[in-house]
Amino acid sequence: MKILITGNMGYVGPGVVSQLRETYPHAELIGFDIAFFAHCLTNPPFLPERKLDKQIFGDVRYFDPEILNDIDSIVYLAAISNDPMGNKFEEVTMDVNYRSAIRMAKIGKEKGVSSFVFASSCSVYGAAEGSAKVESDTLNPLTAYARSKIAAEEDLLKIADDGFTVTCLRFATACGFSNRLRLDLVLNDFVAGAVSSKRIDILSDGTPWRPLINVLDMARAIDWAVTRDADNGGEFLAVNAGTNSWNYQVKELAEAVAEVVEGCKVTINQDAPPDKRSYKVNFDLFKKLAPNHQPIFDLETSIRSLYENLNTMGFNDPDFRESSFIRLKVLNKLQTESFLDDNLSWKWQNIPTLSEQY
């Protein structure tokens, strides 16, 4: 088996590489990443990419089709991966998260790739009142990031057939420790605030709902999707990936962190305008299709892992939201220091934009 993992040097990638190496010890695992965040390492016993057979540095917007020769499965993690980045780099977000994914899927299919796994998001439900959302419910994207995921899903549906299985995993909000930790995620932010300043300041009124999933459980879901048979969900599948027990209000997450971190104070902005990004999600279909790859981490375990690892790192920065733990800050710094252009390409590459090239 030969598996290509794009975007493997981000927050999710180290866990995915480790999971696939454990499940497929003799597989050829190849990473493909632009390396914006390669230096953002946190507590690794060794470089996570050593579990790969090969690491390729490249941009999914301009990849060489030859890298897809003899590939059996593509795991597409590459993304401009949150709302603040998507809002600032909207066109790049569409290029990376949508157009490049479709081009890679089409070329991969032509070259005999049999499985394409796309990291989608529950954010496609956007503002969603009422009962927990199922896959057939109306989508209501509020951000460029969510729109890019929907666009990719729609075009991947057209490509899937009996020889090319497509799985779009609509992940709940990621959380938990990684060897390339991000703190621009709600639970991770709360734990970092509790560790660094013994306080959690909720900027909203605390009532919005969020489904969460530990980053290592995301890797388990991807493991399942890599070899999913079309008889188990169809040639194309868009499925909510997470667990029903992980639907929480934001204030509940903060309170759970305060129970673990002694002396932590939680404040809520009662005067904040309503946060439109509120939704509960139903994960029954994922449980039915992937019974052996269900999430195994709970909220308390995830909080304690973050807490312990941050302490091990000697983390004590109350201004962490201005640090390299925040992905947008990393991109801004790379641009300020003239390493990246406005299109988020490395300046020495001198590569045309996607629209000019294709």
Side-chain angles (χ1 to χ4, degrees):
M1 185 178 238
K2 193 173 181 180
I3 304 172
L4 178 72
I5 308 151
T6 73
N8 66 287
M9 301 182 86
Y11 172 62
V12 180
V16 171
V17 170
S18 184
Q19 178 72 42
L20 294 179
R21 176 53 71 209
E22 180 179 346
T23 303
Y24 312 105
H26 304 297
E28 183 174 353
L29 303 182
I30 301 169
F32 185 92
D33 198 285
I34 198 168
F36 290 154
F37 313 113
H39 62 294
C40 299
L41 291 165
T42 47
N43 277 6
F46 52 82
L47 192 67
E49 290 68 51
R50 288 309 305 157
K51 290 190 175 182
L52 295 169
D53 294 279
K54 182 188 296 184
Q55 176 67 56
I56 302 172
F57 294 107
D59 188 328
V60 291
R61 292 172 291 180
Y62 325 111
F63 72 90
D64 181 353
E66 295 300 306
I67 69 169
L68 299 179
N69 290 344
D70 302 318
I71 294 291
D72 297 293
S73 181
I74 298 170
V75 176
Y76 199 91
L77 301 179
I80 302 300
S81 58
N82 66 9
D83 293 343
M85 286 194 289
N87 293 339
K88 182 172 181 178
F89 304 107
E90 186 164 352
E91 195 60 28
V92 177
T93 295
M94 293 302 290
D95 277 350
V96 173
N97 300 11
Y98 163 47
R99 299 183 186 104
S100 297
I102 301 308
R103 176 173 174 257
M104 185 171 284
K106 288 180 176 178
I107 295 174
K109 180 180 177 179
E110 291 172 0
K111 287 180 171 287
V113 173
S114 60
S115 170
F116 190 90
V117 181
F118 180 72
S120 190
S121 170
C122 284
S123 66
V124 297
Y125 298 112
E129 298 179 355
S131 59
K133 298 295 121 178
V134 298
E135 290 79 2
S136 58
D137 281 332
T138 301
L139 306 180
N140 186 23
L142 300 177
T143 64
Y145 173 74
R147 290 192 293 273
S148 72
K149 296 297 187 180
I150 292 173
E153 287 188 14
E154 290 175 344
D155 279 13
L156 287 169
L157 171 62
K158 302 170 186 176
I159 301 170
D161 61 24
D162 58 1
F164 188 69
T165 302
V166 174
T167 309
C168 298
L169 295 165
R170 291 179 181 171
F171 283 117
T173 300
C175 69
F177 188 76
S178 161
N179 289 137
R180 284 196 175 87
L181 181 62
R182 286 173 54 186
L183 296 180
D184 49 8
L185 297 159
V186 59
L187 185 69
N188 297 7
D189 175 281
F190 287 171
V191 176
V195 171
S196 62
S197 59
K198 295 294 184 183
R199 62 182 295 127
I200 299 171
D201 297 313
I202 303 177
L203 301 181
S204 71
D205 63 3
T207 61
W209 286 90
R210 292 285 189 279
L212 271 70
I213 184 171
N214 189 289
V215 66
L216 297 179
D217 284 327
M218 295 173 70
R220 288 168 53 79
I222 289 168
D223 186 355
W224 165 74
V226 162
T227 55
R228 180 184 70 84
D229 192 282
D231 291 336
N232 184 29
E235 297 163 356
F236 173 87
L237 175 67
V239 61
N240 299 332
T243 180
N244 293 336
S245 62
W246 272 68
N247 279 297
Y248 288 99
Q249 287 184 291
V250 170
K251 62 184 177 182
E252 293 177 317
L253 298 174
E255 291 162 356
V257 172
E259 289 181 7
V260 172
V261 183
E262 186 176 351
C264 177
K265 179 182 178 181
V266 177
T267 64
I268 297 176
N269 185 1
Q270 300 290 356
D271 298 324
D275 188 340
K276 293 181 179 180
R277 296 174 305 155
S278 179
Y279 51 91
K280 289 186 284 186
V281 176
N282 180 294
F283 299 98
D284 287 348
L285 179 60
F286 180 58
K287 186 174 183 179
K288 175 183 177 182
L289 296 177
N292 298 323
H293 291 79
Q294 290 299 291
I296 59 176
F297 292 90
D298 60 19
L299 180 59
E300 181 179 352
T301 302
S302 300
I303 292 171
R304 289 193 181 279
S305 176
L306 282 164
Y307 178 52
E308 292 166 2
N309 275 282
L310 286 173
N311 282 328
T312 299
M313 291 162 50
F315 177 83
N316 60 1
D317 181 9
D319 296 321
F320 66 87
R321 294 184 186 89
E322 300 299 321
S323 74
S324 61
F325 289 107
I326 308 300
R327 293 303 194 241
L328 180 56
K329 299 297 180 182
V330 175
L331 295 182
N332 287 341
K333 185 177 181 181
L334 289 172
Q335 286 191 318
T336 299
E337 296 180 354
S338 297
F339 294 124
L340 296 180
D341 64 18
D342 292 340
N343 195 43
L344 293 186
S345 294
W346 296 106
K347 284 198 171 181
W348 50 82
Q349 286 186 300
N350 193 30
I351 298 174
T353 66
L354 195 64
S355 58
E356 290 172 339
Q357 194 174 24
Y358 307 108

